[in-house]
Amino acid sequence: MLKVQDVTRKMGKEAVLGPIDLHISPGTITAIVANNGAGKTTLFQAISGDYPGFGSVRVDGHSVHSIAGKAQLSYVPQTYPEVEAFRLTDLQKLHKEHDFSWQDDRFQAIARQFKLPMKKPIQKLSVGMKQKAVIATQLSRKTNVKLLDEPFAGLDMEGQSLVERLLLEELEANPNATIIFATHVADEVQRLADYVCFMHAGKLSEPVEKDWLQERWKYVWLQEALPGNGPSARVEEVSVDPMPKILTRNALETEEWVRENGGTVVKRSSLRLHESIPHILRKGEQNDDE
Amino acid sequence: MKLPVEVNEQSQEPIYYQIEEQIKALIVSGSIPAGTALPSIRALAADLGCSVITTRRAYQNLEQHHYIKTQRGKGTFVQEVDVNERDLMKEKTVTEALQRAIRTANQHDYTEEEIKTLFERVLREETTDA
């Protein structure tokens, strides 16, 4: 379980991250999506404890800065200069001797599946291999909270599927496991997430159920255009060519409004996440839905 | 195990309900017999691209109506279905399919007579094909 309270940080010279509040329950996968520059990486650094400052982050009730907190947190950042100088065998030895969350058999199995070169300095590895090395290390630790900043970026397809499978295995095996990952790819949200949080200008939305997005964001086609503009009824966009079509962020309300105004819905279709997410990110958090 | 279940994006029904109804139909029709182990809520969610909140809700509803049973640490299993209920469910499934067809016909301004004529023709064609 992860509890983030009132976390505030500076991002660059002027922009500010937060205040961020986030409460994540065990057994769930949360995707954090953001446009570039929204503060996602600063947020991940702040949650991981890499960027100390105002506010509190608690992992299973322990401060993220405490040993007990760190022992329950696996963190895969976007860059990892501190491990570049090592070889994987060095890291393995280090964890084996000093990290009581370390599961060496798990590490060996993952390293084998990724075909990781154990004896090369990590800085000599390709971008994708480095990423796999760090993921393998962090997923070999028996922790309840996995925090991953764009874990799939730079991985080949086989690597992506493997990481996806490892994360799912993690959740199946440990009912207290929680995964939070950042992504720019809607398909990753679709395949993995239970909840989505949207970041906009340093602010983070409440977690939204992924399926809720699909049930609400729809295209609705009408038999005939309705006269006048009417109330918004959650309507985002309207087009009439070749048929009257409404893009709504709350299909139930929009359809009710259509019926009340004597219109007929001919067809409806859910937006895919890659269609709805950009709309949400553009406008930032929307507090008017429930 | 992978279930032949899919989410229809054009449906107005909530996703959990679609999953619930399709699994129910598979159980009632005997396609997945009593004792069969179902995928975990996480595996089903990953398979369908939906959330565990949705699959959990579908399973909870199915469990409440005794179609499935979850045994802690073991998994979720299909239960025996009552014969009478099986007949009722079959009738319900077919009735709903017919209702959908009639609604489509109404949308295209068919009269009752026209629907009947069309129905009989399709019925004849389907019976000859079979």
Side-chain angles (χ1 to χ4, degrees):
Chain A
M1 189 182 80
L2 180 76
K3 207 166 186 176
V4 178
Q5 257 174 327
D6 232 6
V7 161
T8 314
R9 299 287 186 277
K10 271 198 168 145
M11 313 175 350
K13 277 189 187 131
E14 282 159 23
V16 172
L17 171 82
I20 304 280
D21 288 289
L22 182 64
H23 186 172
I24 300 207
S25 330
T28 59
I29 308 185
T30 304
I32 297 194
V33 293
N35 285 334
N36 300 120
K40 180 211 66 184
T41 293
T42 310
L43 171 67
F44 272 65
Q45 286 168 347
I47 295 180
S48 73
D50 270 3
Y51 182 178
F54 191 77
S56 93
V57 176
R58 302 190 82 79
V59 182
D60 282 356
H62 308 286
S63 161
V64 73
H65 300 291
S66 70
I67 291 178
K70 284 186 198 304
Q72 287 303 339
L73 177 75
S74 291
Y75 175 41
V76 176
Q78 261 192 302
T79 55
Y80 14 79
E82 62 281 5
V83 300
E84 298 247 342
F86 296 97
R87 296 169 306 164
L88 268 171
T89 44
D90 302 328
L91 287 184
Q92 182 184 16
K93 192 158 170 266
L94 206 69
H95 279 285
K96 219 167 153 178
E97 288 171 7
H98 302 285
D99 180 356
F100 59 82
S101 69
W102 187 252
Q103 307 165 102
D104 204 58
D105 44 349
R106 176 97 172 138
F107 177 72
Q108 288 175 29
I110 299 176
R112 226 181 359 258
Q113 293 179 68
F114 275 140
K115 301 184 184 75
L116 287 171
M118 298 294 292
K119 297 201 167 136
K120 252 190 180 175
I122 291 177
Q123 59 193 354
K124 295 256 169 75
L125 304 181
S126 71
V127 175
M129 270 299 178
K130 276 183 198 170
Q131 178 83 356
K132 286 176 185 173
V134 174
I135 291 177
T137 317
Q138 288 304 316
L139 294 189
S140 300
R141 301 180 54 229
K142 192 172 166 41
T143 56
N144 284 342
V145 178
K146 317 275 177 202
L147 184 67
L148 309 103
D149 194 353
E150 295 189 45
F152 301 99
L155 295 188
D156 52 32
M157 285 192 203
E158 200 186 344
Q160 291 180 29
S161 313
L162 183 57
V163 171
E164 193 176 316
R165 212 182 65 223
L166 290 171
L167 293 176
L168 292 174
E169 274 173 21
E170 196 78 46
L171 287 170
E172 294 273 15
N174 175 6
N176 293 319
T178 291
I179 291 166
I180 302 113
F181 76 104
T183 179
H184 292 297
V185 184
D187 191 44
E188 290 169 9
V189 181
Q190 181 80 61
R191 289 207 311 270
L192 274 178
D194 301 314
Y195 295 97
V196 193
C197 290
F198 300 95
M199 261 205 108
H200 187 80
K203 300 273 191 290
L204 189 70
S205 79
E206 290 278 310
V208 176
E209 248 185 68
K210 175 181 68 183
D211 298 345
W212 188 90
L213 288 176
Q214 252 167 300
E215 288 175 3
R216 302 283 166 123
W217 281 83
K218 284 186 184 175
Y219 288 117
V220 176
W221 284 268
L222 307 185
Q223 199 141 36
E224 278 162 13
L226 290 173
N229 290 326
S232 79
R234 313 295 196 208
V235 170
E236 288 278 307
E237 280 175 18
V238 177
S239 58
V240 288
D241 189 37
M243 263 179 90
K245 181 172 96 170
I246 294 174
L247 168 56
T248 168
R249 63 192 146 88
N250 190 331
L252 287 174
E253 278 186 34
T254 302
E255 288 202 26
E256 200 182 311
W257 171 76
V258 168
R259 270 193 305 278
E260 279 169 3
N261 287 273
T264 309
V265 173
V266 197
K267 185 182 156 76
R268 59 187 74 80
S269 174
S270 289
L271 267 71
R272 308 288 300 173
L273 293 177
H274 71 83
E275 298 172 298
S276 58
I277 289 176
H279 275 277
I280 301 167
L281 287 178
R282 211 174 302 142
K283 300 211 166 168
E285 185 181 358
Q286 296 196 337
N287 287 320
D288 55 0
D289 288 332
E290 288 180 355
Chain B
M1 153 181 209
K2 218 175 166 109
L3 289 178
V5 169
E6 58 182 18
V7 175
N8 178 359
E9 283 164 28
Q10 290 176 26
S11 172
Q12 229 181 335
E13 285 159 351
I15 301 173
Y16 79 88
Y17 183 75
Q18 295 184 34
I19 297 171
E20 185 186 329
E21 288 297 305
Q22 289 176 58
I23 296 180
K24 199 188 287 178
L26 288 168
I27 294 173
V28 171
S29 66
S31 305
I32 40 178
T36 309
L38 291 180
S40 69
I41 53 168
R42 175 58 68 188
L44 184 62
D47 187 26
L48 296 175
C50 67
S51 78
V52 281
I53 307 135
T54 297
T55 49
R56 184 180 297 123
R57 198 160 165 195
Y59 274 21
Q60 275 168 352
N61 290 349
L62 288 166
E63 180 139 16
Q64 235 168 42
H65 294 99
H66 312 291
Y67 290 104
I68 61 175
K69 194 165 176 62
T70 301
Q71 294 177 322
R72 262 187 86 90
K74 282 187 176 167
T76 303
F77 301 91
V78 176
Q79 296 280 89
E80 208 71 60
V81 192
D82 183 66
V83 186
N84 292 328
E85 189 170 12
R86 174 169 296 177
D87 290 343
L88 276 176
M89 276 296 295
K90 272 188 195 164
E91 193 179 305
K92 187 169 163 242
T93 309
V94 178
T95 307
E96 280 170 359
L98 289 174
Q99 280 167 344
R100 273 197 298 278
I102 292 168
R103 274 199 292 270
T104 309
N106 284 337
Q107 258 180 14
H108 292 281
D109 296 330
Y110 273 54
T111 63
E112 209 182 305
E113 261 333 290
E114 284 170 325
I115 296 176
K116 276 185 193 156
T117 317
L118 197 57
F119 176 78
E120 274 160 17
R121 200 186 84 201
V122 175
L123 184 65
R124 268 199 308 278
E125 283 169 6
E126 287 291 315
T127 327
T128 343
D129 284 352

